Amino acid sequence: MILLLVAAVLGGTFLAWSAQAGSAGPRGHRPGHEALGGRSGLGSVDLTGWARTQIKSDKERHAQPPARTTTAFPAATETDTGTETATGAVRQAGFVRAAAAADPTTLVLYDTAGPYGRLGELYAMAAANLAGHFGTVTAKPVQQYTAGMIGSYTAVVYIGSTYYCCDVPDAIPAAFYQDVSTSTKPVIWMGANIWNMANSVGAAQFAQRYGWDPTTSYYADGGSVGTVTQVTYRNQTLTRKIPAGQDGGVLRPNVLTGPGYPEVTRLAEGLDSSNGHSFGWAVRSSNLTYVGEIPFAYVSESDRVIVAEDLLFDALAPATAERHRALLRLEDISPASDPAELRATADYLYAQKIPYGINVIPVYKDPKGTYNNGTAQTITLVQRPQVVSALKYMLARGAVLMDHGYTHQYGNIANPYNGVTGDDFEFYRAHVDSADSVVYDGPVAEDSALWAQARVTSALTQFTLAGLPKPALWTTPHYAASAADYKAISSNFSARLERSLYFSGTLGGSSAGPNAFIGQFFPYVVKDVYGTKVLPENIGNYEPEAYNNHPARLPADLIASAKANLAVRDGFASFFYHPYYPTQPLKDTVDGIKALGYTFVSPTSL
């Protein structure tokens, strides 16, 4: 299953970014979905054009003689925080580690120039969200960088999404190149334009400090970007699945050897299955960590994006100890749920001493009678005292009450299936296209912060009327809402436990449209660009049936994803389960995750 993390803004198909999630009618009649997507993954962007442009530009750069300058490195500047000088070869394999900051600060810089400039903000939000796990984050277009700015931050992340070459002039200030090359502050550079830094400061000088030559490093290996299918990192083999025609390639660093060149550490190994060649997918020397692509598009729960998620620890929290925790939540519980099933699941988890969340939809609606012989049906918690009793039983045995929307559906229309609670979106519009993929259409017509707050208030009222406590956490139905909705929702809860959409204009103020977003899930707790706390859900859910071009997802698949996420040194394996399924697949999943060394914790402990 290909899951795209990026919502596109430049026309084309929708790229599926999020994991499937089973949902169902009152007795699990059909699979539904928590955050589905269509065929591609940038809200309305097709990466085919972007990939074609990058490959074309790289070929043109390859055909040009490398620019050679003789600029020497100046003496180390006051922006430096370590003891390394910038005038000679740096021979250590690792990179310079500044003293751990109490509240690390990150500067995220991104491109806005060129025909695909709008991608930069989307990728920057993904990077900023991850950095939000560690401390405060500032994100701005790279054009706004001024000399010495690097000195105000613990680390810098630059995302090169626009290929500056040929007919697209370099928009990166020379001051940024100079400061990176003379500072000891950690810099993580993803994607394009590292060759322009080498040309700016001098290719020979760059090589003397970093041990490789970007001006002779390219995306093509033997005339083609090949098919890079996996990345190995921290003893885990991670996947990389890019649809044909949409892969812009991975830069292959030309590492130099011999006297005078420092050692370059290959942090992660890429494998090109088209020719069997391996190369440094991520490399490090001195203060520079270079990642040969932007790993925020076409991701899955076992994807190479995990490398980027972990590399931030080196830059922002290098003393972090190894720790692996697990989260479980039970999904799509409503007044139509079976109390016996709820109690049986609670008994198993209580016996295993596993804390967990219970996602409750307080009002069940079937406006067309899809599961009620053609007769419309609405059920509240108050009308189902046995369900309420089962919920209280669960709460007394380690569960944490969570709010999963008000009705988890939208009006009397198919959105995208049948209007039934649990099957349909509540805060976003969607449809199923002719290829049987779910496509996001945009926020609902009446969308606003006031409208979203009214839904939350109505939901909380239903919990109170049923004699239940206020839910501690929230999960957005099908993981889809507008930016206004997320902000309104989060003002009512301590955190959201979910995957989320992040919309164009959040950083720069100028939106590319109401359906231009990047979707993201996290391996650890973050403070996101909306200013809200988000708990991770990063390995998906048990789903025994294939649907909407998603394959079945079985316990072995969840366990494999949990294993891949062991590469995150202080990360989670967080999943959810529908209690209308038998408990055996849940037992198998829990046992497999425990065997990997994960410890289950309560969502409210984070």
Side-chain angles (χ1 to χ4, degrees):
M1 176 174 60
I2 293 175
L3 309 177
L4 182 63
L5 194 65
V6 186
V9 290
L10 303 173
T13 55
F14 177 77
L15 307 175
W17 63 271
S18 56
Q20 60 184 14
S23 179
R27 295 288 303 156
H29 293 293
R30 54 154 304 162
H33 331 270
E34 216 58 78
L36 286 173
R39 292 175 299 278
S40 129
L42 296 169
S44 48
V45 138
D46 182 0
L47 289 180
T48 301
W50 170 84
R52 186 184 301 117
T53 298
Q54 173 153 295
I55 293 170
K56 177 177 179 291
S57 296
D58 201 55
K59 287 181 178 178
E60 291 184 24
R61 181 173 67 89
H62 199 171
Q64 298 171 356
R68 299 294 180 182
T69 64
T70 57
T71 304
F73 285 125
T77 69
E78 63 181 9
T79 63
D80 293 330
T81 57
T83 59
E84 172 196 356
T85 65
T87 57
V90 182
R91 298 187 179 279
Q92 74 275 17
F95 88 137
V96 177
R97 299 181 186 274
D103 181 22
T105 57
T106 307
L107 174 63
V108 176
L109 300 170
Y110 60 96
D111 295 324
T112 58
Y116 295 92
R118 286 176 173 172
L119 286 174
E121 183 190 23
L122 300 177
Y123 292 131
M125 286 190 287
N129 287 335
L130 293 173
H133 170 70
F134 301 90
T136 57
V137 184
T138 299
K140 60 180 58 185
V142 70
Q143 295 97 316
Q144 295 180 14
Y145 184 88
T146 57
M149 191 178 287
I150 194 173
S152 300
Y153 299 90
T154 307
V156 176
V157 178
Y158 166 66
I159 301 168
S161 58
T162 296
Y163 196 118
Y164 296 126
C165 173
C166 319
D167 58 349
V168 181
D170 193 354
I172 300 175
F176 178 61
Y177 295 141
Q178 195 69 22
D179 284 355
V180 171
S181 68
T182 59
S183 177
T184 57
K185 291 294 183 74
V187 175
I188 298 176
W189 190 303
M190 299 182 185
N193 306 316
I194 188 69
W195 50 85
N196 287 333
M197 174 180 162
N199 283 327
S200 178
V201 303
Q205 288 75 17
F206 184 101
Q208 287 172 3
R209 184 173 194 196
Y210 297 113
W212 62 288
D213 184 3
T215 68
T216 54
S217 301
Y218 305 99
Y219 289 90
D221 179 11
S224 167
V225 297
T227 308
V228 180
T229 55
Q230 72 178 44
V231 175
T232 303
Y233 177 71
R234 299 192 78 217
N235 300 316
Q236 301 299 328
T237 299
L238 310 173
T239 59
R240 183 181 186 272
K241 299 179 181 179
I242 311 295
Q246 300 194 31
D247 188 354
V250 183
L251 194 78
R252 324 288 175 106
N254 179 20
V255 177
L256 305 173
T257 58
Y261 294 120
E263 181 179 353
V264 176
T265 302
R266 287 165 65 151
L267 301 169
E269 291 285 309
L271 175 64
D272 187 340
S273 61
S274 70
N275 55 25
H277 294 174
S278 62
F279 61 95
W281 186 88
V283 299
R284 176 180 296 151
S285 53
S286 187
N287 67 321
L288 179 66
T289 298
Y290 177 75
V291 179
E293 64 171 325
I294 301 168
F296 297 135
Y298 292 110
V299 304
S300 71
E301 293 87 351
S302 303
D303 185 79
R304 86 285 194 208
V305 72
I306 290 170
V307 182
E309 294 165 349
D310 183 72
L311 286 176
L312 287 169
F313 283 97
D314 287 339
L316 296 165
T320 301
E322 193 86 10
R323 178 173 55 167
H324 302 288
R325 290 172 286 177
L327 284 178
L328 166 65
R329 74 173 194 264
L330 301 181
E331 191 76 349
D332 288 341
I333 299 169
S334 81
S337 295
D338 184 336
E341 292 173 344
L342 299 179
R343 288 174 178 268
T345 307
D347 287 341
Y348 160 68
L349 294 172
Y350 182 68
Q352 294 295 310
K353 297 182 172 57
I354 294 177
Y356 59 99
I358 49 175
N359 248 349
V360 179
I361 310 159
V363 176
Y364 172 84
K365 283 183 172 290
D366 183 355
K368 299 181 181 182
T370 300
Y371 302 124
N372 194 42
N373 299 316
T375 300
Q377 187 178 35
T378 297
I379 312 172
T380 66
L381 286 171
V382 171
Q383 294 170 318
R384 289 293 188 267
Q386 289 183 323
V387 172
V388 174
S389 177
L391 294 177
K392 292 179 178 179
Y393 182 84
M394 300 171 91
L395 293 176
R397 285 160 178 77
V400 171
L401 186 61
M402 300 170 56
D403 188 348
H404 195 27
Y406 176 37
T407 64
H408 202 316
Q409 54 82 240
Y410 178 65
N412 298 325
I413 62 175
N415 188 37
Y417 299 112
N418 49 31
V420 178
T421 288
D423 284 356
D424 278 15
F425 290 78
E426 180 172 352
F427 292 84
Y428 218 76
R429 293 302 311 276
H431 72 276
V432 179
D433 67 9
S434 59
D436 195 34
S437 293
V438 175
V439 179
Y440 290 94
D441 297 319
V444 299
E446 62 270 53
D447 183 68
S448 68
L450 185 63
W451 177 82
Q453 181 60 57
R455 304 290 293 183
V456 174
T457 300
S458 296
L460 294 178
T461 298
Q462 291 297 320
F463 285 108
T464 299
L465 292 174
L468 291 167
K470 179 184 176 182
L473 303 167
W474 167 277
T475 300
T476 305
H478 285 352
Y479 294 153
S482 70
D485 296 340
Y486 284 123
K487 293 175 183 177
I489 290 165
S490 295
S491 67
N492 295 271
F493 302 92
S494 61
R496 306 193 311 272
L497 196 172
E498 61 178 34
R499 306 179 178 200
S500 304
L501 307 182
Y502 296 95
F503 288 84
S504 169
T506 300
L507 300 180
S510 178
S511 173
N515 201 37
F517 59 80
I518 181 168
Q520 191 171 16
F521 52 91
F522 307 108
Y524 33 61
V525 180
V526 306
K527 183 177 181 180
D528 68 10
V529 293
Y530 298 143
T532 57
K533 184 178 180 180
V534 184
L535 309 187
E537 185 278 280
N538 62 327
I539 67 169
N541 67 290
Y542 171 73
E543 178 53 65
E545 300 178 17
Y547 63 91
N548 292 131
N549 299 310
H550 294 293
R553 191 158 172 83
L554 304 178
D557 299 305
L558 273 70
I559 295 165
S561 293
K563 183 177 185 298
N565 277 274
L566 288 172
V568 181
R569 69 197 68 180
D570 185 14
F572 284 78
S574 178
F575 72 104
F576 60 95
Y577 194 85
H578 292 88
Y580 51 71
Y581 287 128
T583 56
Q584 189 59 49
L586 176 60
K587 293 177 182 178
D588 293 341
T589 304
V590 168
D591 288 345
I593 290 175
K594 280 184 173 181
L596 291 171
Y598 285 93
T599 300
F600 280 87
V601 297
S602 171
T604 54
S605 70
L606 305 176

